[in-house]
Amino acid sequence: FSAYVVVAEPPPAPQECPVAVVIDGMSQAVLMATPADLMDFAIGFALTEGLIASPADVTDFDEATVEAGGFPAREARLWLRPA
């Protein structure tokens, strides 16, 4: 009888990059984050900071790849309905 132990390698660490949350063309904050689900990230940030009352305040979303100091970065852009 011989026993084998399979040791799985851990998954690679998520790669973070600077993400700017931009609301109506104005940068609100830059945070380090994984570039997945940026819409949820930006809406969650806006809700937490009191910039919107509900996700229904967001009329449009866009994301873009940009450079920040020579490093790749992302912008999560929200447009809000007029207050």
Side-chain angles (χ1 to χ4, degrees):
F1 169 73
S2 100
Y4 292 96
V5 176
V6 177
V7 178
E9 291 189 31
Q15 297 298 311
E16 292 186 336
C17 69
V19 176
V21 178
V22 179
I23 297 178
D24 290 332
M26 189 178 258
S27 182
Q28 301 297 315
V30 178
L31 304 111
M32 293 299 289
T34 58
D37 301 319
L38 288 181
M39 184 170 148
D40 290 339
F41 177 78
I43 290 174
F45 175 84
L47 282 167
T48 301
E49 293 299 313
L51 303 171
I52 61 174
S54 82
D57 293 337
V58 177
T59 61
D60 200 7
F61 171 80
D62 186 27
E63 59 184 78
T65 301
V66 296
E67 278 194 21
F71 295 98
R74 302 296 294 270
E75 283 188 356
R77 302 170 179 168
L78 298 175
W79 283 270
L80 307 182
R81 61 187 161 126

